[in-house]
Coordinates of all heavy atoms in Angstrom, one line a residue:
A131 N 3.8 6.8 21.8 CA 3.7 6.9 23.3 C 2.8 8.1 23.8 O 2.0 8.0 24.7 CB 5.1 6.9 23.9
A132 N 3.1 9.3 23.2 CA 2.4 10.5 23.6 C 0.9 10.4 23.3 O 0.0 10.7 24.1 CB 3.0 11.7 23.0
L133 N 0.6 9.9 22.1 CA -0.8 9.8 21.7 C -1.5 8.7 22.5 O -2.7 8.8 22.9 CB -0.9 9.5 20.2 CG -0.4 10.6 19.3 CD1 -0.5 10.2 17.8 CD2 -1.2 11.9 19.5
A134 N -0.8 7.6 22.7 CA -1.4 6.5 23.5 C -1.7 6.9 24.9 O -2.7 6.5 25.5 CB -0.4 5.3 23.5
A135 N -0.8 7.7 25.5 CA -1.0 8.2 26.9 C -2.3 9.0 27.0 O -3.1 8.8 27.9 CB 0.2 9.0 27.4
R136 N -2.6 9.9 26.0 CA -3.8 10.7 26.0 C -5.0 9.8 25.8 O -6.0 9.9 26.4 CB -3.7 11.8 25.0 CG -2.6 12.8 25.2 CD -2.9 13.7 26.5 NE -4.2 14.3 26.4 CZ -4.4 15.5 25.8 NH1 -3.4 16.1 25.2 NH2 -5.6 16.1 25.7
A137 N -4.9 8.9 24.8 CA -6.0 8.0 24.5 C -6.3 7.1 25.6 O -7.5 6.8 25.9 CB -5.7 7.3 23.2
G138 N -5.2 6.6 26.3 CA -5.4 5.7 27.4 C -6.1 6.4 28.6 O -6.9 5.9 29.3
A139 N -5.7 7.7 28.8 CA -6.4 8.5 29.9 C -7.9 8.6 29.6 O -8.7 8.5 30.5 CB -5.7 9.8 30.1
D140 N -8.2 8.9 28.3 CA -9.6 9.1 27.9 C -10.4 7.8 28.1 O -11.5 7.8 28.6 CB -9.7 9.5 26.5 CG -9.2 10.9 26.2 OD1 -9.1 11.7 27.2 OD2 -8.9 11.3 25.1
L141 N -9.7 6.7 27.7 CA -10.4 5.4 27.8 C -10.6 5.0 29.3 O -11.7 4.5 29.7 CB -9.5 4.3 27.2 CG -10.1 2.9 27.2 CD1 -11.4 2.8 26.5 CD2 -9.1 1.9 26.5
A142 N -9.6 5.3 30.2 CA -9.8 5.0 31.6 C -10.9 5.8 32.2 O -11.7 5.2 33.0 CB -8.5 5.3 32.3
K143 N -11.0 7.0 31.8 CA -12.1 7.8 32.4 C -13.5 7.3 31.8 O -14.5 7.3 32.6 CB -11.9 9.3 31.9 CG -13.0 10.2 32.5 CD -12.7 11.7 32.1 CE -13.8 12.6 32.6 NZ -13.6 14.0 32.2
A144 N -13.5 6.9 30.6 CA -14.8 6.5 30.0 C -15.3 5.2 30.6 O -16.5 5.0 30.6 CB -14.6 6.3 28.4
I145 N -14.5 4.4 31.1 CA -14.9 3.1 31.6 C -15.0 3.0 33.1 O -15.3 1.9 33.6 CB -14.1 1.9 31.0 CG1 -12.7 1.9 31.5 CG2 -14.1 2.0 29.5 CD1 -11.9 0.7 31.1
G146 N -14.6 4.0 33.8 CA -14.5 4.0 35.3 C -15.8 4.5 35.9 O -16.9 4.4 35.4
A147 N -15.7 4.9 37.2 CA -16.8 5.3 38.0 C -17.6 6.5 37.3 O -18.8 6.6 37.6 CB -16.3 5.7 39.4
A148 N -16.9 7.3 36.6 CA -17.6 8.4 35.9 C -18.2 8.0 34.6 O -18.9 8.8 34.0 CB -16.7 9.6 35.7
G149 N -17.9 6.8 34.2 CA -18.4 6.4 32.9 C -19.2 5.0 32.9 O -20.2 4.9 33.6
L150 N -18.6 4.0 32.3 CA -19.3 2.8 32.1 C -19.7 2.1 33.4 O -20.8 1.6 33.6 CB -18.4 1.8 31.3 CG -19.0 0.5 30.8 CD1 -18.2 0.1 29.5 CD2 -18.9 -0.6 31.8
V151 N -18.8 2.0 34.3 CA -19.1 1.3 35.6 C -20.1 2.1 36.4 O -21.1 1.5 36.9 CB -17.8 1.2 36.4 CG1 -18.1 0.6 37.8 CG2 -16.8 0.2 35.7
G152 N -20.0 3.4 36.5 CA -21.0 4.2 37.2 C -22.4 4.1 36.5 O -23.4 4.0 37.2
G153 N -22.4 4.1 35.2 CA -23.7 3.9 34.5 C -24.3 2.6 34.7 O -25.5 2.4 34.8
Q154 N -23.5 1.5 34.8 CA -24.0 0.2 35.1 C -24.6 0.1 36.5 O -25.6 -0.5 36.7 CB -22.9 -0.8 35.0 CG -23.2 -2.3 35.4 CD -24.2 -3.0 34.5 OE1 -24.8 -2.3 33.6 NE2 -24.4 -4.3 34.6
V155 N -24.0 0.8 37.5 CA -24.5 0.8 38.8 C -25.9 1.4 38.8 O -26.9 0.9 39.4 CB -23.6 1.6 39.8 CG1 -24.3 1.9 41.1 CG2 -22.3 0.8 40.0
D156 N -26.1 2.6 38.1 CA -27.4 3.2 38.1 C -28.4 2.4 37.3 O -29.6 2.4 37.5 CB -27.2 4.6 37.6 CG -26.6 5.6 38.6 OD1 -26.5 5.2 39.8 OD2 -26.2 6.7 38.2
D157 N -27.9 1.7 36.2 CA -28.8 0.9 35.4 C -29.3 -0.3 36.2 O -30.5 -0.6 36.1 CB -28.0 0.4 34.2 CG -28.9 -0.3 33.2 OD1 -30.1 0.1 33.1 OD2 -28.4 -1.1 32.4
L158 N -28.5 -0.9 37.0 CA -29.0 -2.0 37.9 C -30.0 -1.5 38.9 O -31.0 -2.1 39.1 CB -27.8 -2.6 38.6 CG -26.8 -3.4 37.8 CD1 -25.6 -3.8 38.6 CD2 -27.5 -4.7 37.3
A159 N -29.7 -0.3 39.4 CA -30.7 0.3 40.4 C -32.0 0.6 39.7 O -33.1 0.3 40.2 CB -30.1 1.5 41.0
A160 N -32.0 1.1 38.5 CA -33.2 1.4 37.7 C -33.9 0.1 37.4 O -35.2 0.1 37.4 CB -32.9 2.2 36.5
G161 N -33.2 -0.9 37.1 CA -33.8 -2.2 36.7 C -34.6 -2.8 37.9 O -35.5 -3.7 37.6
T162 N -34.3 -2.4 39.1 CA -35.1 -3.0 40.2 C -36.3 -2.2 40.6 O -37.1 -2.6 41.4 CB -34.2 -3.1 41.5 OG1 -33.8 -1.8 41.9 CG2 -32.9 -3.9 41.2
A163 N -36.5 -1.1 39.9 CA -37.6 -0.2 40.2 C -38.9 -0.7 39.6 O -38.9 -1.4 38.6 CB -37.3 1.2 39.8
D164 N -40.0 -0.2 40.1 CA -41.3 -0.5 39.6 C -41.4 0.2 38.2 O -41.1 1.4 38.1 CB -42.4 0.0 40.5 CG -43.8 -0.4 40.1 OD1 -44.0 -0.5 38.8 OD2 -44.6 -0.7 40.9
A165 N -41.8 -0.6 37.2 CA -41.9 0.0 35.8 C -42.8 1.2 35.8 O -42.6 2.1 34.9 CB -42.3 -1.0 34.8
S166 N -43.8 1.3 36.7 CA -44.7 2.4 36.7 C -44.1 3.7 37.2 O -44.6 4.8 37.1 CB -46.0 2.1 37.5 OG -45.6 1.8 38.8
N167 N -42.9 3.5 37.9 CA -42.2 4.6 38.4 C -40.9 4.8 37.7 O -39.8 4.9 38.3 CB -41.9 4.4 39.9 CG -43.2 4.4 40.7 OD1 -44.1 5.2 40.5 ND2 -43.4 3.5 41.7
S168 N -40.9 4.9 36.4 CA -39.7 5.0 35.6 C -38.9 6.2 36.0 O -39.4 7.3 36.4 CB -40.1 5.1 34.1 OG -40.7 3.9 33.7
A169 N -37.6 6.1 35.9 CA -36.7 7.2 36.2 C -37.0 8.3 35.2 O -37.4 8.1 34.1 CB -35.2 6.7 36.1
D170 N -36.7 9.5 35.7 CA -37.0 10.7 34.8 C -36.0 10.7 33.6 O -35.0 10.0 33.6 CB -37.0 12.0 35.6 CG -35.7 12.3 36.2 OD1 -34.6 11.9 35.6 OD2 -35.6 13.0 37.2
L171 N -36.3 11.5 32.7 CA -35.6 11.6 31.4 C -34.1 11.9 31.6 O -33.3 11.2 31.0 CB -36.2 12.7 30.5 CG -35.6 13.0 29.2 CD1 -35.7 11.7 28.3 CD2 -36.2 14.2 28.5

Side-chain angles (χ1 to χ4, degrees):
L133 297 178
R136 295 293 302 276
D140 291 343
L141 180 59
K143 181 178 179 180
I145 69 174
L150 187 154
V151 173
Q154 174 71 347
V155 169
D156 287 348
D157 190 27
L158 289 169
T162 63
D164 187 326
S166 64
N167 294 317
S168 295
D170 63 28
L171 178 64

